[in-house]
Amino acid sequence: MYSHKSFGTSRSMSYRAGSPNTSAEIHDGYTDKQQEQYTKYLKKLKTEFQDRWGQKPNFSIEFSDLERLKTLGSGAFGRVILLKHSKNNKLYAMKVLEKEKVIKMKQVEHSLYEKRVLEAIRFPFTVSMECSFKDNSYIYFVMPFVPGGEMFMHLRRMNKFEEPLAKFYASQVVLALEYLHFCNLVYRDLKPENIMIDKNGYLKITDFGFCKVLQGRTWTLCGTPEYLAPELILSKGYGFSVDWWSFGVLLYEMNAGYPPFYSNEPMKTYEKIVAGKYRCPSSFSSDLRDLVRNVLQVDISKRFGVMKDGVLDYKNHKWFKGIEWDAIVNCRVQPPFVPKYKNAYDTGNFDKYEEEPFVPASYCRYESVFIDF
């Protein structure tokens, strides 16, 4: 495969529609009335997000209580480590970033922003912060352990997803992007590597290093080459439209096993994206082809998710027929696929890495740079 570099939520997170839906309403799309009711729920979540954004969090976990077990992932700035709480045996995933590397890669602002975002967001299909720490050499983000591993790994193993599974995943990504955008957050790095699968088979979007609060437009060039939107590449200034483009690329890759725009040379990849030329595999259904065509629109004014009907363009599209959106957000649909794992400590859904020690310096490095962490 192409390589890039019970099902219930907690009561506080559950969405309850104001009135019962008929089966016709559920299966034939999402009505304006349903969306109006759901928007009230999003407004509540946004208020809670804004409250947390403006507060300094109080963490109950002590760094000394966390026992390192093994490495789950490795990237340009650091590692993700599986931890166990020594007192209650609860498992966590800790993202460890080396201060010096963050500074050299000019990612200080992104890292500080990611911390604030993870502290503030709460949605069924996104990860959230449990606590954070810093020492003389590193900064640490502690999050829940998601044992199913990356979507990318499962996509690689299966070569591609069958449409029912891709549809199940896509519906959650649509709802997650709707939530983030409602909170004025642009994500900017949607791809299979940044989507985890939990023990029940539902998704958790992770890695918010490129996420930011957006008022109007922004011009920062960031993301993954194959997933960049044309307007981002052309430095035109952009908004939430770039996330919907990336969703179109993800939709294509989940169903094909490879992205729609690719070349060994990044500049040629960018040329293909800007031209908007791709071919759908013959295995794509007509409804899937139609949806991909409406998302991978170079003309932003014609792109699904950006037009006057917003996210209803997705919720009412024929390819999503049969998706019960309210049941999805409450995690009450039986997932088509549940990752296998033997026990709570099983890391078989993650690649293996050589363990490396973290040795903090004897003095505080870059203290002034990370003083607000």
Side-chain angles (χ1 to χ4, degrees):
M1 198 202 94
Y2 167 83
S3 171
H4 305 297
K5 278 194 156 172
S6 94
F7 304 101
T9 58
S10 67
R11 184 173 299 177
S12 61
M13 283 299 300
S14 64
Y15 166 65
R16 186 173 298 173
S19 58
N21 300 314
T22 66
S23 59
E25 285 178 326
I26 290 174
H27 290 280
D28 292 341
Y30 210 66
T31 65
D32 290 340
K33 188 174 182 180
Q34 285 176 291
Q35 185 63 22
E36 181 182 342
Q37 189 69 30
Y38 186 68
T39 300
K40 293 179 181 178
Y41 170 65
L42 289 176
K43 287 180 179 178
K44 175 178 176 290
L45 295 185
K46 182 178 181 179
T47 298
E48 294 171 354
F49 164 81
Q50 291 171 332
D51 289 344
R52 286 187 292 265
W53 184 267
Q55 297 174 354
K56 188 173 181 64
N58 293 316
F59 299 131
S60 59
I61 299 174
E62 296 291 336
F63 191 68
S64 58
D65 291 334
L66 298 173
E67 174 189 344
R68 177 175 175 173
L69 298 181
K70 67 178 300 183
T71 299
L72 299 173
S74 181
F77 312 125
R79 294 191 158 222
V80 177
I81 309 295
L82 177 64
L83 306 174
K84 181 180 74 170
H85 195 286
S86 60
K87 296 178 179 177
N88 60 21
N89 291 328
K90 187 174 180 179
L91 298 178
Y92 298 97
M94 181 171 72
K95 186 174 182 178
V96 185
L97 302 179
E98 188 173 352
K99 292 179 182 178
E100 184 173 15
K101 289 183 179 179
V102 171
I103 290 172
K104 284 184 177 178
M105 300 290 284
K106 299 180 179 179
Q107 296 297 313
V108 174
E109 184 180 357
H110 285 156
S111 298
L112 296 177
Y113 224 97
E114 179 177 19
K115 174 179 178 286
R116 293 193 70 188
V117 169
L118 287 169
E119 288 170 350
I121 59 174
R122 297 290 188 280
F123 194 72
F125 311 130
T126 64
V127 297
S128 300
M129 182 85 80
E130 293 283 346
C131 58
S132 62
F133 306 97
K134 64 179 176 180
D135 58 24
N136 288 345
S137 298
Y138 304 95
I139 57 177
Y140 306 92
F141 299 162
V142 180
M143 296 161 283
F145 173 48
V146 184
E150 296 175 357
M151 174 191 283
F152 177 77
M153 186 205 66
H154 295 286
L155 187 54
R156 185 173 57 194
R157 287 178 177 177
M158 298 181 192
N159 293 320
K160 65 177 183 176
F161 296 147
E162 296 301 318
E163 283 195 26
L165 181 58
K167 189 182 302 185
F168 175 72
Y169 290 154
S171 65
Q172 294 166 70
V173 175
V174 166
L175 291 170
L177 290 180
E178 181 182 19
Y179 164 74
L180 293 173
H181 294 173
F182 202 86
C183 293
N184 296 321
L185 292 167
V186 60
Y187 180 63
R188 299 192 294 186
D189 203 18
L190 188 65
K191 57 182 177 180
E193 293 91 329
N194 287 345
I195 300 175
M196 309 294 290
I197 302 178
D198 71 16
K199 64 180 181 180
N200 294 324
Y202 278 82
L203 300 186
K204 295 283 186 184
I205 294 178
T206 187
D207 201 337
F208 288 80
F210 291 146
C211 188
K212 71 176 291 187
V213 172
L214 185 64
Q215 301 290 349
R217 291 195 296 173
T218 187
W219 282 262
T220 308
L221 177 61
C222 61
T224 300
E226 293 79 20
Y227 275 74
L228 297 181
E231 61 270 25
L232 195 154
I233 293 170
L234 296 172
S235 301
K236 288 183 174 181
Y238 60 87
F240 302 117
S241 62
V242 298
D243 284 342
W244 291 121
W245 175 276
S246 296
F247 172 72
V249 179
L250 177 70
L251 186 66
Y252 183 105
E253 184 167 357
M254 285 193 298
N255 286 280
Y258 53 87
F261 311 103
Y262 175 68
S263 172
N264 290 324
E265 300 176 30
M267 287 307 299
K268 288 188 177 180
T269 298
Y270 297 151
E271 289 172 5
K272 291 181 179 181
I273 291 171
V274 171
K277 292 184 178 179
Y278 62 91
R279 289 184 178 180
C280 287
S282 58
S283 59
F284 280 24
S285 67
S286 59
D287 288 343
L288 176 58
R289 288 170 184 264
D290 183 76
L291 180 57
V292 169
R293 179 178 60 81
N294 280 289
V295 188
L296 295 181
Q297 278 283 350
V298 174
D299 185 346
I300 300 173
S301 67
K302 298 178 181 178
R303 190 178 304 166
F304 269 20
V306 185
M307 298 185 290
K308 66 179 180 67
D309 288 336
V311 76
L312 284 177
D313 288 335
Y314 295 102
K315 293 182 179 180
N316 287 322
H317 192 272
K318 289 183 291 183
W319 190 67
F320 280 114
K321 184 177 181 180
I323 289 292
E324 299 182 16
W325 293 94
D326 293 345
I328 290 288
V329 78
N330 284 309
C331 303
R332 291 176 183 155
V333 174
Q334 174 71 48
F337 167 74
V338 178
K340 294 179 180 179
Y341 68 107
K342 299 173 184 176
N343 54 57
Y345 296 88
D346 186 7
T347 57
N349 291 308
F350 295 84
D351 291 332
K352 294 182 179 180
Y353 299 87
E354 288 188 17
E355 300 300 328
E356 295 180 3
F358 296 111
V359 184
S362 58
Y363 62 96
C364 190
R365 308 194 69 193
Y366 313 106
E367 183 174 10
S368 62
V369 177
F370 294 94
I371 195 168
D372 294 328
F373 183 85

